[in-house]
Amino acid sequence: MAATIPGGPVVVAGAGDVGGRLARRLAGAGTEVISLRRSAAEARPGIRTLQADLASGRGLQALPRECAALVFCAAPDAREPAAYRALYVDGLRRLLDACEAPRVLMTSSTAVYAEDAGEWVDEGTPPRPPAFNGEVLREAEALLAAHPGGVALRLSGLYGPGREWLLRRARAGEPGARRWGNRIHVEDAAAALAHLLALDAPAPLYLGNDDLPALECEVLAWVRERERRPAVPPPPPGPETGRRVSNVRLRASGWAPAFADYRAGYGPLLEAGV
C-alpha cells in the first residue's frame, strides 16, 4: 500500500497501465489524485479524471496551478521521432508550465544505454542512446533535471496482465536468443513510483528492474516446460548480447519487487490460463 502524499493532489499524467495502477494505489491510501488521460475513463473512488492531450496541450488549463507532485508516465501513439518528441519533450514542458510541484517523477527507459554484450548497467553508466527513442528520452531527462525535485525512473521491459508477447513466442516454439533481457512487472513499476513519491530525499535517477536479468532463451524454455510443451532446440552457439540492469540503488532506497524474477511474474499468469 502506498503512503499518503500530503500537500494537495498528485497529478498522474498518462494514467494508462502503469499510471492507472499508481493512481489507484495513491487513492487507496487516501491521497487526492488527478488523472490525465487522452480519453474518458471509468470513474474511480478518490480519482478525478481530466481529459487532456500532452502532445497538443489541449485540456491542461483545467489543472490546478499547484499540486503536491507530478508524475509523467505517458506513452506515445506512434513509434517515430516526431511522436516521441511531441510527447516526451514538448508534452513534459507543457505540463511543467501548467502546474507547479515540488516533486516531478518521470518514467524513462533503459533504452538510453548502448551496452550490448551482457554488461551490467546502473545509474553511473553513461547513457549512449543507440536509437531515436533513447535520444528523445535523454532530452526529456535533461528537461526534468533542470526542475527542482525532478526524479527519473528508467524502467526496463514492462510485463504483466495484457502484456503476453513473450508467452506467445514461447508457445509458437521460438528458441529465443542468447540475449540478456530485463523486465519489471507493471505492479512493481507502479509501486516503485509510489515509493519514490513518498521518499524524503530521493536521488535524481533510479533504474527500475526486477532482481534477475535472464537470457531470452532461458525464459522461453522455462515457459514451455511449465506448460508441458515439447522442448525446442536451443539457439546456436554464439556470443551473448543485451545488457543486465542493476536495481541496487532502488532497492537500497527501501523498495523491493513483489515479483522478484520472471518466474514469480509469469507463474501466476500461466496458472490463470492466460
Side-chain angles (χ1 to χ4, degrees):
M1 179 63 70
T4 301
I5 310 300
V10 172
V11 174
V12 180
D17 195 2
V18 173
R21 292 170 191 270
L22 170 64
R24 294 190 290 274
R25 280 175 175 267
L26 295 174
T31 295
E32 181 185 357
V33 179
I34 297 176
S35 166
L36 288 189
R37 293 176 56 94
R38 285 191 298 268
S39 57
E42 178 185 353
R44 296 272 187 173
I47 302 175
R48 176 187 171 200
T49 299
L50 296 178
Q51 279 191 255
D53 184 355
L54 291 165
S56 68
R58 177 183 53 82
L60 291 181
Q61 68 276 6
L63 283 172
R65 187 61 194 135
E66 297 181 351
C67 66
L70 291 170
V71 183
F72 184 92
C73 51
D77 287 331
R79 190 176 174 82
E80 53 94 12
Y84 265 67
R85 184 160 283 104
L87 179 67
Y88 286 114
V89 179
D90 299 336
L92 177 59
R93 183 179 291 111
R94 289 190 183 97
L95 184 64
L96 294 175
D97 288 342
C99 187
E100 297 178 358
R103 180 162 302 173
V104 183
L105 265 60
M106 170 190 156
T107 55
S108 184
S109 170
T110 54
V112 300
Y113 297 113
E115 281 70 17
D116 195 29
E119 304 97 324
W120 281 94
V121 298
D122 60 19
E123 291 80 2
T125 305
R128 294 179 292 116
F132 77 85
N133 57 329
E135 292 175 354
V136 174
L137 286 169
R138 283 295 294 142
E139 289 183 45
E141 288 181 356
L143 180 62
L144 179 71
H147 188 283
V151 180
L153 175 63
R154 291 176 182 162
L155 295 171
S156 58
L158 291 165
Y159 78 107
R163 297 172 179 267
E164 294 101 26
W165 174 70
L166 184 142
L167 300 182
R168 292 193 294 271
R169 293 183 60 203
R171 291 160 182 166
E174 292 187 30
R178 299 183 191 279
R179 180 174 185 81
W180 286 100
N182 303 274
R183 60 196 53 80
I184 183 169
H185 195 282
V186 286
E187 284 290 353
D188 284 331
L193 288 169
H195 168 74
L196 294 175
L197 280 173
L199 279 185
D200 288 336
L205 175 64
Y206 294 89
L207 303 190
N209 198 67
D210 69 15
D211 291 339
L212 186 68
L215 291 172
E216 180 184 82
C217 55
E218 293 178 356
V219 181
L220 295 176
W222 178 85
V223 172
R224 285 190 291 269
E225 182 180 0
R226 279 291 302 269
E227 294 193 320
R228 294 186 171 87
R229 294 176 182 269
V232 300
E240 295 176 355
T241 62
R243 67 187 71 91
R244 287 176 276 185
V245 175
S246 169
N247 66 9
V248 169
R249 176 180 290 182
L250 187 56
R251 261 192 163 278
S253 73
W255 172 86
F259 301 93
D261 59 27
Y262 67 87
R263 295 179 290 256
Y266 281 119
L269 295 178
L270 299 179
E271 290 171 7
V274 171

